[in-house]
Amino acid sequence: MNETVHIGTRKGLFQFTRTAPGQWQRSETAFLGDPVTMVLTDPRTGDRYAGLNHGHFGVKLHAARAGTNEWKEIGTPAFPKVEDGDGPTVELIWELVTGGDDEPGTLWAGTIPGGLFKSTDNGESWRLIDALWQKPERDKWFGGGYDKPGIHSICVHPHDSNTIRLAISCGGVWESTNGGKTWQQTGQGLRAAFMPPELAYDPVSQDPHRMVQCPASPDHLWIQHHNGIFRSEDGGHNWTEFTDVSPSVFGFAVAVHPTQPDTAWFVPAIKDEHRIPVDAQLVVTRTRDGGKTVETLTRGLPEEPAYDLIYRHSLDIDASGDLLAFGSTTGNLWVSEDQGDHWQCLSKHLPPINVVRFDP
């Protein structure tokens, strides 16, 4: 069981460690006062990474190498210059994952605007995956919650490092089977209710808020979409929509059990201009049968009205499948040690939470 959880917030990076059943304590703080948008611990090396967004001073990436608590600035993904001047500017590191076990040093990063970057030297340098950037469909990508489109979900196949699947807001789902050399649009069956009827099923017009894969069965993926919950059993090529889900099919976050692809968790809300829990009741929903039925989990969550919103990277599950954690825009952090049956609030006073990640 992985018992350390990292929390990236608008005002720093915090760490909580489980010392005994039901007992957690804050164990580390870094970048106090700085916005932390993404965190990653590399299971192959123990290195830790943190993406920061300093506003006027731009996006930065830092690493704490294994065995140390010393954070040092390393290379940051950047778009190449173009003939007539500067190219686009990276505005946010929105996703950061490792390559496969057979690719030592490889990291993948997704950014706003929608760039996919690869490092083969543990983040010291990065290159833009031009094959995706140059796809003509990119002209149809558009921003969801941000003004520009972005890559927020990268799923590297655990048994085939050349297979990479992406989800883009708003640009749909993409797949490469040759390590990023070529890309194809997938995502048949995704539905965008916000588009005109003739474009509702257009794969490139979709707004998947978050896509996750089951590590033990990586062709089984889940998406929390802007207007629904979707599941794929064929690597993201075809999707099934679940519409009868109470209290809502809207949300940002989704987590899937590491060994049970039919089990997934969501944190529902009201969409669009509201973006608060339905009836101001914060709940987590769970399916154990691939979406056929959904349970509403409330034990330990606030009984009084609550207005917490959970961002797409702010719900995580550990490798055992027992520990769950999620954090909110109001700085509340909860953990469950029994797959969501009971919840415990670890803090009510953190800054707004962008990302929650267990150590692998």
Side-chain angles (χ1 to χ4, degrees), residues 108 116 129 131-132 135 141 153-157 160-168 171-187 211 213 218-219 221 232-239:
W108 294 90
L116 177 66
I129 302 301
L132 181 64
K135 294 293 290 186
W141 297 2
S153 300
I154 304 173
C155 298
V156 178
H157 197 293
D160 178 8
S161 301
N162 285 318
T163 297
I164 304 115
R165 292 152 180 158
L166 311 175
I168 302 169
V173 177
W174 291 80
E175 180 186 57
S176 174
T177 57
N178 53 16
K181 296 182 179 68
T182 60
W183 293 86
Q184 63 172 329
Q185 178 98 61
T186 58
M211 182 175 74
Q213 68 180 358
D219 285 341
L221 300 106
S232 174
E233 299 181 39
D234 62 359
H237 289 254
N238 296 279
W239 294 85

mmCIF file of all heavy atoms in Angstrom, residues 108 116 129 131-132 135 141 153-157 160-168 171-187 211 213 218-219 221 232-239:
data_model
loop_
_atom_site.group_PDB
_atom_site.id
_atom_site.type_symbol
_atom_site.label_atom_id
_atom_site.label_comp_id
_atom_site.label_asym_id
_atom_site.label_seq_id
_atom_site.Cartn_x
_atom_site.Cartn_y
_atom_site.Cartn_z
ATOM 1 N N TRP A 108 6.647 12.015 -20.535
ATOM 2 C CA TRP A 108 5.744 12.680 -21.469
ATOM 3 C C TRP A 108 5.055 13.820 -20.733
ATOM 4 O O TRP A 108 4.683 13.685 -19.557
ATOM 5 C CB TRP A 108 4.690 11.713 -21.993
ATOM 6 C CG TRP A 108 5.217 10.595 -22.840
ATOM 7 C CD1 TRP A 108 5.628 9.360 -22.425
ATOM 8 C CD2 TRP A 108 5.379 10.602 -24.264
ATOM 9 N NE1 TRP A 108 6.043 8.598 -23.489
ATOM 10 C CE2 TRP A 108 5.897 9.331 -24.642
ATOM 11 C CE3 TRP A 108 5.136 11.548 -25.259
ATOM 12 C CZ2 TRP A 108 6.166 8.994 -25.958
ATOM 13 C CZ3 TRP A 108 5.402 11.218 -26.578
ATOM 14 C CH2 TRP A 108 5.909 9.951 -26.916
ATOM 15 N N LEU A 116 2.225 18.102 -27.131
ATOM 16 C CA LEU A 116 2.724 16.886 -26.492
ATOM 17 C C LEU A 116 4.244 16.913 -26.598
ATOM 18 O O LEU A 116 4.797 17.058 -27.689
ATOM 19 C CB LEU A 116 2.164 15.649 -27.182
ATOM 20 C CG LEU A 116 2.676 14.300 -26.654
ATOM 21 C CD1 LEU A 116 2.206 14.064 -25.218
ATOM 22 C CD2 LEU A 116 2.233 13.149 -27.560
ATOM 23 N N ILE A 129 6.385 16.838 -29.971
ATOM 24 C CA ILE A 129 5.997 15.775 -30.894
ATOM 25 C C ILE A 129 5.286 16.431 -32.068
ATOM 26 O O ILE A 129 4.079 16.690 -32.049
ATOM 27 C CB ILE A 129 5.117 14.730 -30.195
ATOM 28 C CG1 ILE A 129 5.863 14.126 -28.999
ATOM 29 C CG2 ILE A 129 4.713 13.627 -31.175
ATOM 30 C CD1 ILE A 129 7.183 13.449 -29.345
ATOM 31 N N ALA A 131 4.572 15.439 -35.014
ATOM 32 C CA ALA A 131 3.597 14.687 -35.805
ATOM 33 C C ALA A 131 2.172 14.939 -35.331
ATOM 34 O O ALA A 131 1.234 14.953 -36.149
ATOM 35 C CB ALA A 131 3.917 13.197 -35.746
ATOM 36 N N LEU A 132 1.987 15.156 -34.043
ATOM 37 C CA LEU A 132 0.654 15.491 -33.538
ATOM 38 C C LEU A 132 0.360 16.975 -33.737
ATOM 39 O O LEU A 132 -0.750 17.354 -34.139
ATOM 40 C CB LEU A 132 0.542 15.126 -32.056
ATOM 41 C CG LEU A 132 -0.818 15.396 -31.406
ATOM 42 C CD1 LEU A 132 -1.904 14.537 -32.040
ATOM 43 C CD2 LEU A 132 -0.765 15.175 -29.897
ATOM 44 N N LYS A 135 -1.010 17.831 -37.195
ATOM 45 C CA LYS A 135 -2.229 17.227 -37.708
ATOM 46 C C LYS A 135 -3.217 18.308 -38.151
ATOM 47 O O LYS A 135 -3.454 19.283 -37.419
ATOM 48 C CB LYS A 135 -2.887 16.343 -36.641
ATOM 49 C CG LYS A 135 -2.083 15.116 -36.248
ATOM 50 C CD LYS A 135 -1.958 14.106 -37.370
ATOM 51 C CE LYS A 135 -3.266 13.414 -37.663
ATOM 52 N NZ LYS A 135 -3.116 12.316 -38.656
ATOM 53 N N TRP A 141 -9.422 22.144 -32.941
ATOM 54 C CA TRP A 141 -9.369 22.086 -31.485
ATOM 55 C C TRP A 141 -9.744 23.454 -30.913
ATOM 56 O O TRP A 141 -9.491 24.501 -31.522
ATOM 57 C CB TRP A 141 -7.969 21.719 -31.008
ATOM 58 C CG TRP A 141 -7.484 20.358 -31.424
ATOM 59 C CD1 TRP A 141 -8.129 19.436 -32.190
ATOM 60 C CD2 TRP A 141 -6.210 19.786 -31.095
ATOM 61 N NE1 TRP A 141 -7.355 18.315 -32.360
ATOM 62 C CE2 TRP A 141 -6.164 18.499 -31.704
ATOM 63 C CE3 TRP A 141 -5.109 20.217 -30.373
ATOM 64 C CZ2 TRP A 141 -5.058 17.659 -31.593
ATOM 65 C CZ3 TRP A 141 -4.009 19.384 -30.249
ATOM 66 C CH2 TRP A 141 -3.987 18.123 -30.848
ATOM 67 N N SER A 153 -4.581 14.352 -20.426
ATOM 68 C CA SER A 153 -4.586 12.918 -20.120
ATOM 69 C C SER A 153 -3.670 12.200 -21.102
ATOM 70 O O SER A 153 -3.893 12.270 -22.316
ATOM 71 C CB SER A 153 -6.003 12.341 -20.218
ATOM 72 O OG SER A 153 -6.877 12.980 -19.308
ATOM 73 N N ILE A 154 -2.648 11.533 -20.582
ATOM 74 C CA ILE A 154 -1.721 10.737 -21.387
ATOM 75 C C ILE A 154 -1.673 9.348 -20.771
ATOM 76 O O ILE A 154 -1.315 9.193 -19.598
ATOM 77 C CB ILE A 154 -0.308 11.344 -21.420
ATOM 78 C CG1 ILE A 154 -0.339 12.784 -21.931
ATOM 79 C CG2 ILE A 154 0.629 10.490 -22.274
ATOM 80 C CD1 ILE A 154 1.003 13.506 -21.837
ATOM 81 N N CYS A 155 -2.034 8.343 -21.549
ATOM 82 C CA CYS A 155 -2.029 6.957 -21.083
ATOM 83 C C CYS A 155 -1.019 6.166 -21.916
ATOM 84 O O CYS A 155 -1.250 5.910 -23.100
ATOM 85 C CB CYS A 155 -3.414 6.330 -21.218
ATOM 86 S SG CYS A 155 -4.703 7.132 -20.231
ATOM 87 N N VAL A 156 0.103 5.815 -21.288
ATOM 88 C CA VAL A 156 1.103 4.979 -21.939
ATOM 89 C C VAL A 156 0.786 3.524 -21.612
ATOM 90 O O VAL A 156 0.646 3.155 -20.441
ATOM 91 C CB VAL A 156 2.522 5.338 -21.459
ATOM 92 C CG1 VAL A 156 3.564 4.433 -22.112
ATOM 93 C CG2 VAL A 156 2.832 6.802 -21.764
ATOM 94 N N HIS A 157 0.661 2.695 -22.641
ATOM 95 C CA HIS A 157 0.321 1.291 -22.444
ATOM 96 C C HIS A 157 1.418 0.615 -21.625
ATOM 97 O O HIS A 157 2.599 0.669 -21.996
ATOM 98 C CB HIS A 157 0.173 0.603 -23.802
ATOM 99 C CG HIS A 157 -0.551 -0.697 -23.767
ATOM 100 N ND1 HIS A 157 -0.025 -1.823 -23.143
ATOM 101 C CD2 HIS A 157 -1.755 -1.069 -24.268
ATOM 102 C CE1 HIS A 157 -0.870 -2.816 -23.284
ATOM 103 N NE2 HIS A 157 -1.939 -2.388 -23.939
ATOM 104 N N ASP A 160 3.252 -2.070 -23.756
ATOM 105 C CA ASP A 160 3.700 -1.675 -25.094
ATOM 106 C C ASP A 160 3.932 -0.175 -25.083
ATOM 107 O O ASP A 160 3.014 0.613 -25.323
ATOM 108 C CB ASP A 160 2.660 -2.054 -26.153
ATOM 109 C CG ASP A 160 3.061 -1.611 -27.553
ATOM 110 O OD1 ASP A 160 4.207 -1.156 -27.728
ATOM 111 O OD2 ASP A 160 2.209 -1.700 -28.462
ATOM 112 N N SER A 161 5.158 0.237 -24.802
ATOM 113 C CA SER A 161 5.462 1.655 -24.620
ATOM 114 C C SER A 161 5.241 2.480 -25.872
ATOM 115 O O SER A 161 5.181 3.713 -25.802
ATOM 116 C CB SER A 161 6.911 1.818 -24.157
ATOM 117 O OG SER A 161 7.127 1.141 -22.940
ATOM 118 N N ASN A 162 5.127 1.828 -27.020
ATOM 119 C CA ASN A 162 4.880 2.567 -28.255
ATOM 120 C C ASN A 162 3.428 2.985 -28.414
ATOM 121 O O ASN A 162 3.115 3.791 -29.304
ATOM 122 C CB ASN A 162 5.292 1.718 -29.466
ATOM 123 C CG ASN A 162 6.793 1.667 -29.634
ATOM 124 O OD1 ASN A 162 7.471 2.670 -29.481
ATOM 125 N ND2 ASN A 162 7.325 0.491 -29.944
ATOM 126 N N THR A 163 2.549 2.438 -27.603
ATOM 127 C CA THR A 163 1.125 2.779 -27.677
ATOM 128 C C THR A 163 0.812 3.854 -26.642
ATOM 129 O O THR A 163 0.938 3.619 -25.441
ATOM 130 C CB THR A 163 0.251 1.541 -27.461
ATOM 131 O OG1 THR A 163 0.497 0.604 -28.515
ATOM 132 C CG2 THR A 163 -1.222 1.905 -27.467
ATOM 133 N N ILE A 164 0.448 5.018 -27.146
ATOM 134 C CA ILE A 164 0.138 6.168 -26.299
ATOM 135 C C ILE A 164 -1.232 6.687 -26.693
ATOM 136 O O ILE A 164 -1.536 6.849 -27.877
ATOM 137 C CB ILE A 164 1.182 7.296 -26.464
ATOM 138 C CG1 ILE A 164 2.592 6.769 -26.182
ATOM 139 C CG2 ILE A 164 0.861 8.462 -25.552
ATOM 140 C CD1 ILE A 164 3.488 6.803 -27.371
ATOM 141 N N ARG A 165 -2.066 6.935 -25.696
ATOM 142 C CA ARG A 165 -3.412 7.459 -25.921
ATOM 143 C C ARG A 165 -3.574 8.771 -25.175
ATOM 144 O O ARG A 165 -3.137 8.895 -24.023
ATOM 145 C CB ARG A 165 -4.460 6.440 -25.480
ATOM 146 C CG ARG A 165 -4.466 5.198 -26.385
ATOM 147 C CD ARG A 165 -4.914 3.962 -25.691
ATOM 148 N NE ARG A 165 -4.899 2.805 -26.594
ATOM 149 C CZ ARG A 165 -4.840 1.530 -26.174
ATOM 150 N NH1 ARG A 165 -4.792 1.251 -24.876
ATOM 151 N NH2 ARG A 165 -4.826 0.553 -27.051
ATOM 152 N N LEU A 166 -4.206 9.741 -25.834
ATOM 153 C CA LEU A 166 -4.352 11.085 -25.294
ATOM 154 C C LEU A 166 -5.813 11.499 -25.257
ATOM 155 O O LEU A 166 -6.605 11.080 -26.095
ATOM 156 C CB LEU A 166 -3.627 12.112 -26.173
ATOM 157 C CG LEU A 166 -2.203 11.854 -26.608
ATOM 158 C CD1 LEU A 166 -1.770 12.972 -27.563
ATOM 159 C CD2 LEU A 166 -1.270 11.786 -25.412
ATOM 160 N N ALA A 167 -6.124 12.367 -24.312
ATOM 161 C CA ALA A 167 -7.412 13.060 -24.324
ATOM 162 C C ALA A 167 -7.145 14.559 -24.256
ATOM 163 O O ALA A 167 -6.281 15.015 -23.490
ATOM 164 C CB ALA A 167 -8.292 12.619 -23.173
ATOM 165 N N ILE A 168 -7.890 15.308 -25.063
ATOM 166 C CA ILE A 168 -7.636 16.730 -25.254
ATOM 167 C C ILE A 168 -8.941 17.496 -25.059
ATOM 168 O O ILE A 168 -9.986 17.118 -25.579
ATOM 169 C CB ILE A 168 -7.096 16.992 -26.680
ATOM 170 C CG1 ILE A 168 -5.809 16.196 -26.912
ATOM 171 C CG2 ILE A 168 -6.871 18.485 -26.911
ATOM 172 C CD1 ILE A 168 -5.350 16.182 -28.353
ATOM 173 N N GLY A 171 -10.521 18.442 -28.121
ATOM 174 C CA GLY A 171 -9.946 17.888 -29.333
ATOM 175 C C GLY A 171 -10.100 16.394 -29.423
ATOM 176 O O GLY A 171 -9.599 15.773 -30.353
ATOM 177 N N GLY A 172 -10.798 15.797 -28.440
ATOM 178 C CA GLY A 172 -11.111 14.384 -28.501
ATOM 179 C C GLY A 172 -9.984 13.487 -28.040
ATOM 180 O O GLY A 172 -9.099 13.873 -27.272
ATOM 181 N N VAL A 173 -10.005 12.244 -28.538
ATOM 182 C CA VAL A 173 -9.092 11.185 -28.131
ATOM 183 C C VAL A 173 -8.218 10.803 -29.318
ATOM 184 O O VAL A 173 -8.706 10.674 -30.446
ATOM 185 C CB VAL A 173 -9.875 9.952 -27.615
ATOM 186 C CG1 VAL A 173 -8.940 8.817 -27.245
ATOM 187 C CG2 VAL A 173 -10.734 10.343 -26.409
ATOM 188 N N TRP A 174 -6.925 10.605 -29.037
ATOM 189 C CA TRP A 174 -5.953 10.286 -30.079
ATOM 190 C C TRP A 174 -5.099 9.102 -29.656
ATOM 191 O O TRP A 174 -4.918 8.852 -28.459
ATOM 192 C CB TRP A 174 -5.050 11.493 -30.351
ATOM 193 C CG TRP A 174 -5.773 12.626 -31.015
ATOM 194 C CD1 TRP A 174 -6.580 13.555 -30.405
ATOM 195 C CD2 TRP A 174 -5.775 12.942 -32.404
ATOM 196 N NE1 TRP A 174 -7.083 14.426 -31.334
ATOM 197 C CE2 TRP A 174 -6.597 14.080 -32.576
ATOM 198 C CE3 TRP A 174 -5.157 12.375 -33.523
ATOM 199 C CZ2 TRP A 174 -6.823 14.664 -33.811
ATOM 200 C CZ3 TRP A 174 -5.377 12.964 -34.760
ATOM 201 C CH2 TRP A 174 -6.200 14.086 -34.899
ATOM 202 N N GLU A 175 -4.555 8.401 -30.652
ATOM 203 C CA GLU A 175 -3.725 7.223 -30.363
ATOM 204 C C GLU A 175 -2.532 7.170 -31.317
ATOM 205 O O GLU A 175 -2.649 7.454 -32.510
ATOM 206 C CB GLU A 175 -4.545 5.940 -30.514
ATOM 207 C CG GLU A 175 -3.740 4.669 -30.230
ATOM 208 C CD GLU A 175 -4.526 3.403 -30.524
ATOM 209 O OE1 GLU A 175 -4.995 3.242 -31.678
ATOM 210 O OE2 GLU A 175 -4.690 2.587 -29.597
ATOM 211 N N SER A 176 -1.379 6.811 -30.770
ATOM 212 C CA SER A 176 -0.202 6.453 -31.561
ATOM 213 C C SER A 176 0.218 5.050 -31.169
ATOM 214 O O SER A 176 0.219 4.702 -29.985
ATOM 215 C CB SER A 176 0.955 7.415 -31.304
ATOM 216 O OG SER A 176 2.134 6.981 -31.981
ATOM 217 N N THR A 177 0.575 4.231 -32.151
ATOM 218 C CA THR A 177 1.042 2.871 -31.872
ATOM 219 C C THR A 177 2.513 2.708 -32.248
ATOM 220 O O THR A 177 3.026 1.593 -32.244
ATOM 221 C CB THR A 177 0.196 1.838 -32.640
ATOM 222 O OG1 THR A 177 0.251 2.120 -34.046
ATOM 223 C CG2 THR A 177 -1.250 1.854 -32.163
ATOM 224 N N ASN A 178 3.181 3.816 -32.546
ATOM 225 C CA ASN A 178 4.600 3.740 -32.915
ATOM 226 C C ASN A 178 5.427 4.796 -32.186
ATOM 227 O O ASN A 178 6.334 5.402 -32.754
ATOM 228 C CB ASN A 178 4.776 3.869 -34.429
ATOM 229 C CG ASN A 178 4.097 5.110 -34.988
ATOM 230 O OD1 ASN A 178 3.741 6.030 -34.244
ATOM 231 N ND2 ASN A 178 3.908 5.146 -36.291
ATOM 232 N N GLY A 179 5.082 5.022 -30.919
ATOM 233 C CA GLY A 179 5.884 5.910 -30.090
ATOM 234 C C GLY A 179 5.744 7.379 -30.406
ATOM 235 O O GLY A 179 6.603 8.177 -30.030
ATOM 236 N N GLY A 180 4.674 7.767 -31.093
ATOM 237 C CA GLY A 180 4.427 9.169 -31.377
ATOM 238 C C GLY A 180 4.800 9.608 -32.774
ATOM 239 O O GLY A 180 4.652 10.783 -33.117
ATOM 240 N N LYS A 181 5.250 8.656 -33.604
ATOM 241 C CA LYS A 181 5.635 9.026 -34.981
ATOM 242 C C LYS A 181 4.415 9.395 -35.824
ATOM 243 O O LYS A 181 4.471 10.315 -36.638
ATOM 244 C CB LYS A 181 6.409 7.883 -35.641
ATOM 245 C CG LYS A 181 7.745 7.548 -34.988
ATOM 246 C CD LYS A 181 8.459 6.438 -35.745
ATOM 247 C CE LYS A 181 9.799 6.098 -35.123
ATOM 248 N NZ LYS A 181 9.645 5.477 -33.793
ATOM 249 N N THR A 182 3.315 8.687 -35.630
ATOM 250 C CA THR A 182 2.073 8.997 -36.330
ATOM 251 C C THR A 182 0.918 8.894 -35.333
ATOM 252 O O THR A 182 1.023 8.199 -34.310
ATOM 253 C CB THR A 182 1.815 8.034 -37.509
ATOM 254 O OG1 THR A 182 1.732 6.685 -37.013
ATOM 255 C CG2 THR A 182 2.939 8.126 -38.541
ATOM 256 N N TRP A 183 -0.196 9.576 -35.686
ATOM 257 C CA TRP A 183 -1.337 9.648 -34.781
ATOM 258 C C TRP A 183 -2.634 9.468 -35.561
ATOM 259 O O TRP A 183 -2.734 9.884 -36.716
ATOM 260 C CB TRP A 183 -1.369 11.011 -34.065
ATOM 261 C CG TRP A 183 -0.213 11.160 -33.145
ATOM 262 C CD1 TRP A 183 1.038 11.623 -33.473
ATOM 263 C CD2 TRP A 183 -0.172 10.819 -31.754
ATOM 264 N NE1 TRP A 183 1.852 11.597 -32.365
ATOM 265 C CE2 TRP A 183 1.145 11.111 -31.298
ATOM 266 C CE3 TRP A 183 -1.110 10.316 -30.860
ATOM 267 C CZ2 TRP A 183 1.524 10.900 -29.981
ATOM 268 C CZ3 TRP A 183 -0.725 10.105 -29.551
ATOM 269 C CH2 TRP A 183 0.579 10.393 -29.120
ATOM 270 N N GLN A 184 -3.605 8.851 -34.906
ATOM 271 C CA GLN A 184 -4.936 8.732 -35.486
ATOM 272 C C GLN A 184 -5.977 9.163 -34.462
ATOM 273 O O GLN A 184 -5.819 8.954 -33.255
ATOM 274 C CB GLN A 184 -5.229 7.299 -35.939
ATOM 275 C CG GLN A 184 -5.240 6.270 -34.814
ATOM 276 C CD GLN A 184 -5.713 4.909 -35.273
ATOM 277 O OE1 GLN A 184 -6.529 4.814 -36.185
ATOM 278 N NE2 GLN A 184 -5.206 3.852 -34.645
ATOM 279 N N GLN A 185 -7.035 9.792 -34.970
ATOM 280 C CA GLN A 185 -8.160 10.172 -34.124
ATOM 281 C C GLN A 185 -9.001 8.938 -33.838
ATOM 282 O O GLN A 185 -9.347 8.180 -34.747
ATOM 283 C CB GLN A 185 -9.010 11.215 -34.825
ATOM 284 C CG GLN A 185 -10.237 11.645 -34.048
ATOM 285 C CD GLN A 185 -10.007 12.938 -33.298
ATOM 286 O OE1 GLN A 185 -9.727 13.956 -33.882
ATOM 287 N NE2 GLN A 185 -10.151 12.886 -31.978
ATOM 288 N N THR A 186 -9.311 8.708 -32.572
ATOM 289 C CA THR A 186 -10.225 7.632 -32.186
ATOM 290 C C THR A 186 -11.443 8.279 -31.518
ATOM 291 O O THR A 186 -11.775 9.411 -31.817
ATOM 292 C CB THR A 186 -9.517 6.621 -31.267
ATOM 293 O OG1 THR A 186 -9.018 7.298 -30.104
ATOM 294 C CG2 THR A 186 -8.341 5.959 -31.999
ATOM 295 N N GLY A 187 -12.128 7.560 -30.644
ATOM 296 C CA GLY A 187 -13.217 8.186 -29.894
ATOM 297 C C GLY A 187 -14.590 8.078 -30.517
ATOM 298 O O GLY A 187 -15.454 8.922 -30.248
ATOM 299 N N MET A 211 -9.292 11.232 -18.877
ATOM 300 C CA MET A 211 -9.291 9.846 -19.345
ATOM 301 C C MET A 211 -8.259 9.063 -18.544
ATOM 302 O O MET A 211 -7.128 9.509 -18.359
ATOM 303 C CB MET A 211 -8.958 9.775 -20.840
ATOM 304 C CG MET A 211 -8.990 8.354 -21.406
ATOM 305 S SD MET A 211 -8.729 8.307 -23.213
ATOM 306 C CE MET A 211 -6.969 8.643 -23.316
ATOM 307 N N GLN A 213 -6.756 4.841 -17.687
ATOM 308 C CA GLN A 213 -6.741 3.438 -18.098
ATOM 309 C C GLN A 213 -6.530 2.551 -16.884
ATOM 310 O O GLN A 213 -5.919 2.961 -15.891
ATOM 311 C CB GLN A 213 -5.627 3.179 -19.114
ATOM 312 C CG GLN A 213 -4.221 3.305 -18.546
ATOM 313 C CD GLN A 213 -3.129 3.053 -19.578
ATOM 314 O OE1 GLN A 213 -3.384 2.744 -20.724
ATOM 315 N NE2 GLN A 213 -1.872 3.190 -19.150
ATOM 316 N N PRO A 218 -5.161 -2.409 -19.788
ATOM 317 C CA PRO A 218 -5.046 -1.037 -20.304
ATOM 318 C C PRO A 218 -5.900 -0.710 -21.511
ATOM 319 O O PRO A 218 -6.002 0.470 -21.871
ATOM 320 C CB PRO A 218 -3.554 -0.914 -20.633
ATOM 321 C CG PRO A 218 -3.071 -2.322 -20.789
ATOM 322 C CD PRO A 218 -3.894 -3.149 -19.860
ATOM 323 N N ASP A 219 -6.520 -1.678 -22.146
ATOM 324 C CA ASP A 219 -7.469 -1.356 -23.210
ATOM 325 C C ASP A 219 -8.826 -0.946 -22.656
ATOM 326 O O ASP A 219 -9.704 -0.521 -23.417
ATOM 327 C CB ASP A 219 -7.628 -2.535 -24.172
ATOM 328 C CG ASP A 219 -6.431 -2.685 -25.095
ATOM 329 O OD1 ASP A 219 -5.668 -1.706 -25.247
ATOM 330 O OD2 ASP A 219 -6.248 -3.776 -25.663
ATOM 331 N N LEU A 221 -10.665 1.774 -20.689
ATOM 332 C CA LEU A 221 -10.499 3.168 -20.316
ATOM 333 C C LEU A 221 -11.832 3.771 -19.902
ATOM 334 O O LEU A 221 -12.895 3.335 -20.356
ATOM 335 C CB LEU A 221 -9.910 3.979 -21.478
ATOM 336 C CG LEU A 221 -8.542 3.556 -21.990
ATOM 337 C CD1 LEU A 221 -8.670 2.849 -23.329
ATOM 338 C CD2 LEU A 221 -7.619 4.765 -22.136
ATOM 339 N N SER A 232 -14.591 2.580 -22.604
ATOM 340 C CA SER A 232 -14.117 1.862 -23.782
ATOM 341 C C SER A 232 -13.458 0.568 -23.353
ATOM 342 O O SER A 232 -12.765 0.510 -22.324
ATOM 343 C CB SER A 232 -13.113 2.707 -24.564
ATOM 344 O OG SER A 232 -12.539 1.962 -25.630
ATOM 345 N N GLU A 233 -13.667 -0.474 -24.157
ATOM 346 C CA GLU A 233 -13.018 -1.767 -23.902
ATOM 347 C C GLU A 233 -12.059 -2.144 -25.017
ATOM 348 O O GLU A 233 -11.518 -3.250 -25.019
ATOM 349 C CB GLU A 233 -14.089 -2.858 -23.738
ATOM 350 C CG GLU A 233 -15.042 -2.613 -22.577
ATOM 351 C CD GLU A 233 -16.070 -3.724 -22.421
ATOM 352 O OE1 GLU A 233 -15.706 -4.900 -22.608
ATOM 353 O OE2 GLU A 233 -17.234 -3.415 -22.118
ATOM 354 N N ASP A 234 -11.825 -1.220 -25.959
ATOM 355 C CA ASP A 234 -10.955 -1.542 -27.085
ATOM 356 C C ASP A 234 -9.886 -0.462 -27.309
ATOM 357 O O ASP A 234 -9.566 -0.096 -28.428
ATOM 358 C CB ASP A 234 -11.766 -1.745 -28.370
ATOM 359 C CG ASP A 234 -12.528 -0.498 -28.807
ATOM 360 O OD1 ASP A 234 -12.446 0.541 -28.093
ATOM 361 O OD2 ASP A 234 -13.199 -0.547 -29.845
ATOM 362 N N GLY A 235 -9.372 0.048 -26.199
ATOM 363 C CA GLY A 235 -8.289 1.008 -26.302
ATOM 364 C C GLY A 235 -8.701 2.397 -26.725
ATOM 365 O O GLY A 235 -7.872 3.164 -27.227
ATOM 366 N N GLY A 236 -9.954 2.751 -26.560
ATOM 367 C CA GLY A 236 -10.409 4.096 -26.857
ATOM 368 C C GLY A 236 -10.944 4.297 -28.250
ATOM 369 O O GLY A 236 -11.291 5.421 -28.627
ATOM 370 N N HIS A 237 -11.040 3.226 -29.032
ATOM 371 C CA HIS A 237 -11.568 3.368 -30.389
ATOM 372 C C HIS A 237 -13.081 3.565 -30.368
ATOM 373 O O HIS A 237 -13.621 4.381 -31.133
ATOM 374 C CB HIS A 237 -11.195 2.148 -31.226
ATOM 375 C CG HIS A 237 -9.732 2.098 -31.562
ATOM 376 N ND1 HIS A 237 -9.242 2.374 -32.809
ATOM 377 C CD2 HIS A 237 -8.655 1.827 -30.789
ATOM 378 C CE1 HIS A 237 -7.921 2.263 -32.806
ATOM 379 N NE2 HIS A 237 -7.542 1.934 -31.588
ATOM 380 N N ASN A 238 -13.766 2.832 -29.502
ATOM 381 C CA ASN A 238 -15.225 2.917 -29.403
ATOM 382 C C ASN A 238 -15.615 3.090 -27.942
ATOM 383 O O ASN A 238 -15.001 2.471 -27.051
ATOM 384 C CB ASN A 238 -15.877 1.652 -29.979
ATOM 385 C CG ASN A 238 -15.598 1.494 -31.459
ATOM 386 O OD1 ASN A 238 -16.250 2.107 -32.298
ATOM 387 N ND2 ASN A 238 -14.619 0.655 -31.795
ATOM 388 N N TRP A 239 -16.656 3.907 -27.734
ATOM 389 C CA TRP A 239 -17.046 4.268 -26.374
ATOM 390 C C TRP A 239 -18.536 4.033 -26.162
ATOM 391 O O TRP A 239 -19.346 4.239 -27.068
ATOM 392 C CB TRP A 239 -16.723 5.740 -26.111
ATOM 393 C CG TRP A 239 -15.245 6.005 -26.116
ATOM 394 C CD1 TRP A 239 -14.465 6.257 -27.214
ATOM 395 C CD2 TRP A 239 -14.373 6.024 -24.990
ATOM 396 N NE1 TRP A 239 -13.163 6.433 -26.833
ATOM 397 C CE2 TRP A 239 -13.076 6.305 -25.470
ATOM 398 C CE3 TRP A 239 -14.565 5.849 -23.611
ATOM 399 C CZ2 TRP A 239 -11.976 6.408 -24.629
ATOM 400 C CZ3 TRP A 239 -13.470 5.950 -22.768
ATOM 401 C CH2 TRP A 239 -12.192 6.226 -23.275
#
